[in-house]
Amino acid sequence: MATLVRRAASRLIGNCSKNRSFVYSFPGQSCAAHGRLRHLTPSISGINPFTTSAKKRVSPNDPLLRVIEAEIGFADQADDYDRVEETPNGFPFKMEDKPGSKIVTLTRDYEGECVIVEVHMTNLVTGDKEDDEDDDEEENEEDEQHEDKPEKPKQSNVPLLVTLSKKTGPSLEFRCTAFPDKIAIKDMWVTFPDDPSKDELAYEGPSFRALDEKLRKAFHRYIEIRGIEPSMINFLHEYMINKDSKEHLLWLKTLKNFVKS
């Protein structure tokens, strides 16, 4: 009987040594073939079925992925996204442009005042109906007094938010639209950065269009002296067009990474 047991054990050991695709080891026992302790876990051709990732990756032939990659190719071939606009001579502002942000921030000091300009993405006129509606709203308030003037062609523009503040006290905010030849103030507010609770109950004043014409012109001159003038607009217009192209390309690459992951 002992002889039969030893023969059976010998056959089992021989089969295990010939077929290493199936290895069972027990806690506390060593396996000479691998030189380390292993738990009771079946190993099939070196792959553990319990630890194999079931994560499914998107095929390169996925329709959405193909379209996104084609769009990235078109964006890469565009001249706008990598074109560098040189800051014009005498430009008084320091520029801050963060990738992924839809605005560019301009800052400067003017005789003790802090001037901050948030430059938003350019509103491009493409001839669509929506462009007409937007531009009608952005027309200079002074044009309403001259109905007999011939209709002007629609123009692309750059939205600006101008904040003027001093060390203490309230601040002035102006919502502007910068056209190639003029800057139109659309609204203005008095804000209280030191005490935001006042903003909730503060009288915001009349509509800017309702102000006396002389007062409107004086406010235009007031911000122009602080650097908000038409001579800076051509540079900002081109710069924001380039930024829009860069952000579009970055957005496409973010989509691609999400779809592939």
Side-chain angles (χ1 to χ4, degrees), residues 122-125 131-143 152-160 175-186 209 220 228-237:
T122 303
N123 290 327
L124 296 175
V125 174
D131 290 332
D132 294 341
E133 294 174 354
D134 291 341
D135 285 348
D136 287 342
E137 183 179 341
E138 299 295 342
E139 285 295 329
N140 193 329
E141 56 276 356
E142 296 179 2
D143 292 344
K152 295 181 180 180
K154 304 302 179 181
Q155 295 176 305
S156 300
N157 58 78
V158 181
L160 307 175
R175 183 174 69 90
C176 306
T177 302
F179 297 96
D181 56 348
K182 64 184 178 182
I183 296 177
I185 298 176
K186 311 308 296 180
R209 295 185 180 188
H220 277 92
I228 321 302
E229 54 184 343
S231 60
M232 65 184 282
I233 299 307
N234 288 335
F235 163 70
L236 291 178
H237 186 273

Side-chain angles (χ1 to χ4, degrees), residues 46-87:
I47 300 177
N48 189 336
F50 298 102
T51 60
T52 300
S53 173
K55 189 175 182 179
K56 182 180 179 181
R57 293 190 175 274
V58 176
S59 169
N61 295 323
D62 179 85
L64 176 58
L65 187 59
R66 292 202 310 270
V67 173
I68 293 175
E69 289 176 340
E71 290 293 323
I72 291 176
F74 294 144
D76 274 329
Q77 295 174 6
D79 295 331
D80 291 338
Y81 86 94
D82 60 352
R83 188 170 56 188
V84 177
E85 290 295 330
E86 295 185 1
T87 304

